[in-house]
Structure formats: C-alpha cells, structure tokens
Amino acid sequence: MPGTVLRHAFHVPAPPPAVLAHLSEPSNYVGLSPLVVAVQDVRREPGRMRFVAVERFRFFGLVKYDNLIEVTLRATEEGIEGEVDSPGGVRLGYRFGLTADGMGTEVEDVLTVHARLGPVLRYAARKARQVQVARADILVSRAPTLM
C-alpha cells in the first residue's frame, strides 16, 4: 500500500513525564488535533488503549462529515506510539518521541500515512501534515497546564 512519512520536531516547555501523561490520556486528544471533536468508547487494555475519535471535516464550508476513526495508543519508555484505522482505507502509524531538552521536552512527531489510492493518500497526507503542525502549537500552548 503506498505511503508517506511526515516528521515534525518541536520544543514543549514542560518536562517529559508531564508531556507523556498528557499524550497518554485519550480525552486530551480532543482539540489537540484541530479535527478531533470527541473521543468515545475508550477501552483500557494491558499495555494499550483503544478508542474512537470523531474527526469533523467540513467540505466547501457547508457540508459537515464526522469521520469515526479507531485509534490504538501505547505508552513506551520513549514516548507514545500507535495506529489509526480510518474509513476509506486510510491507515496511519504515529509516534511521539519525547526527549528531555533543558527545561522542557523535545517532541519528534512522526506520522506514516498509507492509502490504496493516490488521490486519497495525497488528501490524507495533506490533512495529516496540517494537523501535525497545528498539534505542535496546541501542545505548546497547553504546557502551563501540564506541570
């Protein structure tokens, strides 16, 4: 299945354990991605969590579409990783690598996007990149509440 890898590194002025705790809680993903408006059906399992995230898309400014995506989240010693299974054949792997950096955390956000059809892959990768860049700013803005 064709795919593309997106990388973005940024600094969060909060210690790694605080950033890890924030990224380990499914409810914190509401608003962390500008598309995610709700999280539901959280299932805590040994070594991972599964949940459904509701992504809200607007087409032409008028048509609203809620895309229900299945998310798997695992905390590791290095950060957070997981997978997203989205309708339409889009699959996404993600990893938030967390490294202590002075008085905060260096976050390496890596997304691997896969889709069977080229136009779907291009659209999904473009949206994923927009979310990835926005997520950095949002997480930095949340830093004071993480400590």
Side-chain angles (χ1 to χ4, degrees):
M1 184 181 306
T4 189
V5 177
L6 308 169
R7 296 178 188 279
H8 187 60
F10 56 96
H11 179 82
V12 177
V19 177
L20 179 65
H22 189 72
L23 293 174
S24 295
E25 178 52 48
S27 64
N28 291 331
Y29 286 81
V30 174
L32 187 57
S33 161
L35 298 175
V36 175
V37 296
V39 168
Q40 55 197 34
D41 192 23
V42 176
R43 299 166 314 272
R44 298 177 192 277
E45 302 169 358
R48 67 180 174 191
M49 282 182 260
R50 294 177 184 264
F51 59 94
V52 174
V54 180
E55 289 182 319
R56 180 155 297 151
F57 290 92
R58 292 209 181 268
F59 299 98
F60 310 111
L62 301 171
V63 179
K64 178 182 78 171
Y65 173 70
D66 285 351
N67 188 41
L68 303 180
I69 59 175
E70 287 285 335
V71 180
T72 301
L73 181 149
R74 291 180 299 279
T76 70
E77 290 184 21
E78 296 81 31
I80 299 290
E81 63 183 26
E83 298 81 37
V84 174
D85 185 6
S86 179
V90 176
R91 305 290 179 264
L92 188 134
Y94 66 92
R95 185 178 73 75
F96 302 119
L98 308 177
T99 307
D101 180 22
M103 296 300 292
T105 304
E106 182 73 15
V107 178
E108 182 185 29
D109 182 341
V110 180
L111 302 175
T112 305
V113 184
H114 293 279
R116 293 193 195 288
L117 301 174
V120 174
L121 175 60
R122 286 188 293 279
Y123 177 79
R126 185 173 69 250
K127 282 298 192 185
R129 181 62 178 168
Q130 290 170 352
V131 166
Q132 188 179 47
V133 171
R135 180 173 35 243
D137 292 338
I138 294 164
L139 191 54
V140 167
S141 73
R142 290 182 179 184
T145 65
L146 303 183
M147 294 187 247

